[in-house]
Amino acid sequence: MDNTNLIIERDKRYILGTYAAHDIVFEKGEGCMLYDTEGKEYLDFLSGIAVACLGHNNKKLVAAIKKQAQKLMIASNYFYTQPRGLLAEKLLKGSHFSKVFFTNSGAESNEAALKAAKKYFNQFHPQRYKIVTCLNSFHGRTIATVTATGQEKYYKPFSPMPDWFIYVPFNDKEALRKALSDKEVGAFMVECVQGEGGVVPASEDYLSYARKLTKKNDQLLIIDEVQTGIMRTGKMFAYQHYGIKPDIVTIAKGLGGGFPIGACLLTDKVANVMKVGDHGTTFGSNPLACHAALTVIKELKKKSMREHIQNISVYFFNKLKTFEKYPFIKEIRGKGLMAGLEFDDKYQVKEIVKALLDKGLVASMAGQNTLRLLPPLIVNQKEIDQMGEILETVLKELNQ
Ligand SMILES: Cc1ncc(COP(=O)(O)O)c(C=O)c1O
């Protein structure tokens, strides 16, 4: 193993400088713990940004990947392989969706959704081409998804951008009603909890209002569950908290538990417009990723696991509530095992993240000065207590 500095310097020399990474080299992980090349251990309350839902080095997931890798990793979408169909069946059965398109990332899942929506407009409402999204949203980094992302800082450097996105303030029903009354608008794409935007949940009636309006005009409701999906908020999909049935849902992150895979789930009426040749991917649907995801879904669908997530979420938020005593914490938000602590602007969350790392807790910043916590879904009370102790130490110092 090369030493830490050499690894960092090599990266800095050769890797495109699009990230401001911390000077830490992670070498291995176990459960909710990460270990760096200096032998220091960290509690992982980021999970690779809502990915490692079963924690690190999960025995069943590792064994599934190993077994499938030895059998067959890729065959191409010109042929059938068993894991793809099994995963699709597991995801769709019992839901109102009828078809799935597998991808390799969240952005690609959203691209698939946008293409299917566009094809739907062209077929049934040719005058429609615009899509409404929310300010402060995040939908990915491809040209279309970065434009869908309602944050100028992400798309402005690449302008001119596609001109078919309209942005509305999140949780503002009147603004949504106005935007959807545009005859050229065909869809509304939204997150149930804005993740990158600072862990901001949709208000109780916002999504049902959106569903009611879009249904009335045969506009499509696309829910981006790339961060919130796969039990992150305590249900398989976060839209289930809101009692709605979207036309399209996109997922990725937690689906493979660390193995790259995403998916776009479609109801019959949208799925029917997509024909042979309309979309494709070389890697999407490969048996290795599908077998990994199948293992993840099987684990998460277990009654014991669902109960664990529900109970531990209550414990997690009760613990976080104890930090309300600090006047510089403006709000504590979230759902399930997705939490955000918004700080007063006088305090830099970037610096708080660094202080937490120093003390062995991995977390991240999201949105406007919000500390985001996304532990693996297997996290236990002891680990939450440990997180609480580290956070308490750092916030106490801040309060002095
Ligand atoms: C809600 C949401 N959509 C899409 C994406 C993009 O996913 P990916 O980075 O896998 O392309 C993200 C990533 O953070 C996300 O949080």
Side-chain angles (χ1 to χ4, degrees):
M1 187 82 191
D2 292 332
N3 77 41
T4 305
N5 288 340
L6 184 61
I7 295 170
I8 293 173
E9 275 163 26
R10 191 189 293 127
D11 251 57
K12 286 195 167 146
R13 179 167 310 156
Y14 295 116
I15 301 294
L16 195 67
T18 59
Y19 281 96
H22 300 280
D23 281 349
I24 295 170
V25 179
F26 283 125
E27 194 184 2
K28 59 183 181 182
E30 189 67 48
C32 293
M33 304 306 294
L34 282 169
Y35 301 86
D36 75 7
T37 39
E38 303 292 300
K40 180 171 166 180
E41 68 171 27
Y42 298 78
L43 246 185
D44 184 6
F45 269 58
L46 182 59
S47 309
I49 321 180
V51 172
C53 50
L54 300 180
H56 301 283
N57 195 20
N58 176 277
K59 298 290 173 281
K60 283 192 182 146
L61 182 55
V62 172
I65 291 170
K66 195 171 162 199
K67 192 170 160 200
Q68 188 62 47
Q70 285 167 335
K71 233 190 206 172
L72 184 68
M73 284 199 260
I74 188 89
S76 92
N77 287 313
Y78 294 159
F79 304 95
Y80 294 92
T81 53
Q82 179 166 284
R84 175 173 66 182
L86 286 177
L87 175 61
E89 186 177 57
K90 198 93 194 149
L91 277 173
L92 298 176
K93 234 180 178 172
S95 83
H96 68 288
F97 296 108
S98 64
K99 291 284 194 292
V100 57
F101 183 87
F102 288 117
T103 69
N104 312 286
S105 67
E108 284 173 84
S109 301
N110 285 337
E111 282 282 344
L114 294 172
K115 278 184 77 175
K118 287 250 170 201
K119 186 96 196 283
Y120 185 83
F121 310 159
N122 287 345
Q123 194 154 324
F124 296 109
H125 305 283
Q127 81 281 16
R128 295 181 178 174
Y129 68 101
K130 293 180 188 166
I131 294 175
V132 177
T133 65
C134 287
L135 289 169
N136 236 13
S137 61
F138 190 87
H139 298 294
R141 301 288 199 149
T142 61
I143 289 293
T145 60
V146 84
T147 315
T149 294
Q151 302 191 56
E152 221 180 58
K153 66 176 181 194
Y154 288 116
Y155 61 77
K156 200 146 185 224
F158 312 103
S159 59
M161 308 305 291
D163 61 357
W164 35 275
F165 289 102
I166 296 177
Y167 311 111
V168 291
F170 188 50
N171 279 335
D172 182 335
K173 292 200 287 186
E174 182 50 22
L176 182 63
R177 190 194 59 75
K178 265 195 197 144
L180 290 177
S181 67
D182 182 336
K183 298 272 176 293
E184 292 172 334
V185 165
F188 176 44
M189 180 150 108
V190 64
E191 296 157 271
C192 293
V193 182
Q194 289 191 329
E196 299 307 301
V199 194
V200 185
S203 55
E204 277 307 307
D205 57 351
Y206 184 61
L207 294 181
S208 50
Y209 185 68
R211 178 66 290 187
K212 204 173 93 190
L213 287 183
T214 47
K215 203 168 196 170
K216 197 173 82 193
N217 302 324
D218 193 31
Q219 290 161 317
L220 301 177
L221 179 62
I222 306 170
I223 303 276
D224 178 343
E225 296 248 15
V226 167
Q227 192 159 149
T228 52
I230 318 299
M231 302 293 283
R232 174 56 53 189
T233 68
K235 290 191 188 283
M236 189 50 75
F237 303 106
Y239 75 77
Q240 293 168 321
H241 292 286
Y242 294 88
I244 54 161
K245 288 187 175 164
D247 301 295
I248 303 177
V249 153
T250 56
I251 48 175
K253 289 189 181 280
L255 180 57
F259 203 94
I261 178 168
C264 173
L265 279 57
L266 313 105
T267 51
D268 236 10
K269 77 169 188 182
V270 193
N272 285 341
V273 304
M274 294 300 275
K275 304 291 181 214
V276 171
D278 277 341
H279 200 38
T281 160
T282 297
F283 293 118
S285 276
N286 74 77
L288 188 53
C290 289
H291 195 156
L294 185 61
T295 311
V296 170
I297 299 293
K298 273 187 186 163
E299 285 304 296
L300 294 181
K301 280 200 164 182
K302 283 181 183 163
K303 191 164 172 263
S304 57
M305 191 65 181
R306 283 186 280 126
E307 282 171 1
H308 163 77
I309 295 170
Q310 260 153 31
N311 295 335
I312 204 72
S313 160
V314 174
Y315 192 82
F316 182 47
F317 276 93
N318 281 342
K319 177 66 64 184
L320 293 178
K321 266 199 190 132
T322 63
F323 295 101
E324 280 173 348
K325 66 187 174 207
Y326 289 109
F328 47 76
I329 294 188
K330 282 164 66 176
E331 198 179 17
I332 297 171
R333 301 181 289 260
K335 258 189 193 336
L337 287 168
M338 180 174 189
L341 284 72
E342 188 178 337
F343 282 70
D344 191 296
D345 288 343
K346 274 189 273 177
Y347 298 86
Q348 293 275 314
V349 169
K350 234 190 231 170
E351 298 307 317
I352 296 170
V353 168
K354 274 192 200 145
L356 293 171
L357 277 172
D358 269 355
K359 299 204 161 18
L361 178 69
V362 182
S364 78
M365 187 176 122
Q368 276 303 317
N369 230 22
T370 297
L371 178 71
R372 177 174 51 172
L373 300 170
L374 300 161
L377 304 181
I378 54 155
V379 70
N380 62 32
Q381 292 192 1
K382 197 170 146 228
E383 287 153 345
I384 288 173
D385 290 346
Q386 248 174 298
M387 174 280 294
E389 279 163 31
I390 297 175
L391 193 53
E392 182 74 59
T393 313
V394 167
L395 296 190
K396 229 184 220 165
E397 280 170 16
L398 212 63
N399 206 26
Q400 276 162 10

